[in-house]
Amino acid sequence: MSDDRDLRRAAKLFQAMADPERLALLLRMAESEASVSDLAAFSGAAIGTVSARLKVLTGAELVVRRREGQTIIHSLADHHVRELVENALAHATGRECGPASHVPGHHTQSGKDEMADHQHHHDHPHVHGPDCGHTAIKHNGHVDYVHDGHLHHQDGDTVEEHVIPVTDKNPAECTAENPPKHEAGHVHGPGCGHEAVPHGDHIDYIVDGRLHHPHGDHCDDHGPVEIVQEAAA
């Protein structure tokens, strides 16, 4: 039987998870490690707010940190945390527990668009289509719509969560022949004026038809996207 110290530590875990926004960050990190900027773009919250949430999760030993150059990368502490989060969501939704492919904002590293793995975006009254007011991107033979940092695909009455896959056209690293071009000193992130879009396991920003990714004190160019409809002013 567990002693009082173990019970207190376990209770601290559940206290840290007992917040929808912090739980959403754990679900995102169940997919891949992420920087504060990545998590801010994913959640739509300010970097300071996300940092405060991460401090609680780190204090409860649910999340660990490591440094990569000038960037702090966050990830789940171990597989127990992943299973705890997945089981909690499975119990709440009444479905079988499985891989965290149901996580909102789920990203894939695959070089192809794995349609079978896309999750439906529930409670989404807006219908995407021509003149819907959102930026439309054509990739893998179909059109998706950029909506609050997500990439939505309208399939009849259902909206699916998509992601721009990592390919030779849209690599996950910067290519020397395509250095990013935008105003000096601009820093990409929530509220920067550029639309965020999921690419591979991270968030990029659309600048003049190309994907920009913040990287330390500069940003990388992750290739072009085919924009077929501009967002409404």
Side-chain angles (χ1 to χ4, degrees), residues 10 14 41 44 59 61 73 82 97 105 111 117 129 139 149 156 159 185 197 200 208 215 228:
F14 286 109
E61 300 180 354
I73 303 297
R82 176 190 297 272
C97 181
D117 290 340
H139 76 101
V159 174
V197 61
D208 296 331
H215 186 179
V228 297

Side-chain angles (χ1 to χ4, degrees), residues 130-197:
D131 303 318
C132 73
H134 292 99
T135 297
I137 294 176
K138 184 176 182 179
H139 76 101
N140 280 18
H142 63 272
V143 175
D144 290 338
Y145 295 85
V146 182
H147 192 170
D148 295 336
H150 297 262
L151 196 58
H152 286 173
H153 179 72
Q154 193 75 40
D155 183 15
D157 295 331
T158 302
V159 174
E160 296 178 339
E161 295 276 0
H162 281 196
V163 59
I164 297 175
V166 173
T167 62
D168 291 339
K169 176 184 176 181
N170 297 118
E173 63 281 334
C174 188
T175 55
E177 61 270 21
N178 291 308
K181 298 178 181 179
H182 54 60
E183 59 271 26
H186 180 81
V187 178
H188 290 301
C192 73
H194 298 286
E195 290 190 282
V197 61

Side-chain angles (χ1 to χ4, degrees), residues 172-230:
E173 63 281 334
C174 188
T175 55
E177 61 270 21
N178 291 308
K181 298 178 181 179
H182 54 60
E183 59 271 26
H186 180 81
V187 178
H188 290 301
C192 73
H194 298 286
E195 290 190 282
V197 61
H199 173 216
D201 64 354
H202 58 274
I203 296 295
D204 285 347
Y205 294 84
I206 302 174
V207 182
D208 296 331
R210 300 192 71 85
L211 298 177
H212 286 195
H213 180 67
H215 186 179
D217 59 356
H218 65 283
C219 69
D220 296 339
D221 184 289
H222 286 180
V225 288
E226 184 179 351
I227 297 178
V228 297
Q229 173 179 294
E230 298 283 353

